[in-house]
Amino acid sequence: MRPPITVRKLRETDFDAWLPLCNGYNAFYGRIMNDAQNWILIAIGVLIAGYFLIRKTTGNANGLKSTSDPLAEAEVYLAYGRKQQAQEVLENALQLDPSRTDIEAKLRDLKSQM
C-alpha cells in the first residue's frame, strides 16, 4: 500500500524547484516561453491540475464526496493574487459547512485585505 499523499501550503521557494521541471517539460515538447505572464499562467495551471489530480475522494451513498480542504485550495489562489477566486472557494465551503470557524476566519481576513 502506498503512503497517503499530503498537500501542504505553497512556499515561495516552490517556484525555484518547479521551474527546472517546467523548463524540461517545455524543452521536451519544443516549446520556448519568454513571456513572464505565460510562466505564471502555466504555474497556476500545473498547481491547480496537480491539486485536483491528487485530492482524495471517498464513496458515500450519494456518490463521491470530495475531502479536499477548501483552505488549501484558497491558498493556491492567494499565492498568485487571485483573491476573488479564493473568496468564492471559502464562501462556498462555508455555505456547505457553517461550523468551520477556520474558514470563516480566513474569509474575514481576506475580505479585510480587499
Side-chain angles (χ1 to χ4, degrees), residues 47-112:
L47 288 171
I48 291 172
Y51 174 78
F52 285 109
L53 285 173
I54 63 174
R55 76 179 182 179
K56 296 179 184 177
T57 56
T58 57
N60 61 23
N62 299 321
L64 292 177
K65 177 184 174 188
S66 170
T67 60
S68 65
D69 184 12
L71 285 174
E73 187 175 348
E75 288 295 336
V76 171
Y77 286 120
L78 290 173
Y80 291 97
R82 308 291 298 244
K83 291 181 180 180
Q84 185 62 40
Q85 287 88 345
Q87 181 179 343
E88 290 171 10
V89 166
L90 295 172
E91 286 173 345
N92 290 339
L94 200 53
Q95 285 180 352
L96 292 172
D97 188 357
S99 68
R100 293 280 306 264
T101 55
D102 55 341
I103 293 174
E104 185 178 11
K106 184 69 176 178
L107 182 58
R108 193 172 39 248
D109 181 51
L110 176 59
K111 285 182 176 181
S112 73

Side-chain angles (χ1 to χ4, degrees), residues 23-41:
N23 286 338
Y25 176 86
N26 284 315
F28 179 81
Y29 287 103
R31 297 182 188 135
I32 299 173
M33 311 232 8
N34 295 320
D35 184 17
Q37 200 168 32
N38 285 337
W39 283 112
I40 291 171
L41 292 175

